Amino acid sequence: MGLQRVEIGLVSADEALVEFFAHVFGLERLPAVKSGSGVVHRLQAPGTVIKVMVPSAPPSVTEPPESFLSATGLRYLTMYVTDLDGTLERVTARGGRLRHGPMDVGPGVRVAVVQDPDGNTVEVVGGAPQPDTDRR
């Protein structure tokens, strides 16, 4: 037995969040899956799948904590990008907000913390080396 894949799921009131992630991070939209409870939109890139569930009955909007570090639980996604500055431009152009940074965290590595239009926190990392996938 072993883990095959992890998919991250977000819940949103409409498809705007789907468009945000597709445009900002260049994710490929997969065919939507409709069910009695709503529509699941899947977006993918190598090694990544993000699902956005748009329920049939619109969910109530909850206010995110002021800082993602001020509450327990799943609080942020980390997205590794090849063009941090371009990504941050797309974040703000598509209704997201820059919360922190960008800041240097190591040789050639920069990090920024943004919020998507629904208020979800996303850590965006540019210039990080590729992980060594041969180690086990």
Side-chain angles (χ1 to χ4, degrees), residues 79-110:
M79 307 288 272
Y80 292 85
V81 300
T82 57
D83 176 15
L84 181 62
D85 294 326
T87 300
L88 296 179
E89 288 175 15
R90 291 188 300 277
V91 164
T92 56
R94 288 290 180 144
R97 293 179 41 200
L98 178 62
R99 298 297 303 213
H100 304 287
M103 60 196 123
D104 295 327
V105 294
V109 179
R110 296 169 58 224

Side-chain angles (χ1 to χ4, degrees), residues 57-82:
S60 60
V61 176
T62 56
E63 290 296 319
E66 182 60 32
S67 167
F68 69 96
L69 297 176
S70 64
T72 60
L74 296 174
R75 294 289 167 227
Y76 68 99
L77 304 174
T78 300
M79 307 288 272
Y80 292 85
V81 300
T82 57

Side-chain angles (χ1 to χ4, degrees), residues 128-135:
Q130 292 291 320
D132 182 1
T133 56
D134 291 333
R135 292 188 311 183

Side-chain angles (χ1 to χ4, degrees), residues 29-47:
R29 287 185 74 158
L30 300 174
V33 176
K34 295 179 184 182
S35 71
S37 56
V39 179
V40 176
H41 301 270
R42 296 175 77 229
L43 303 144
Q44 77 172 4

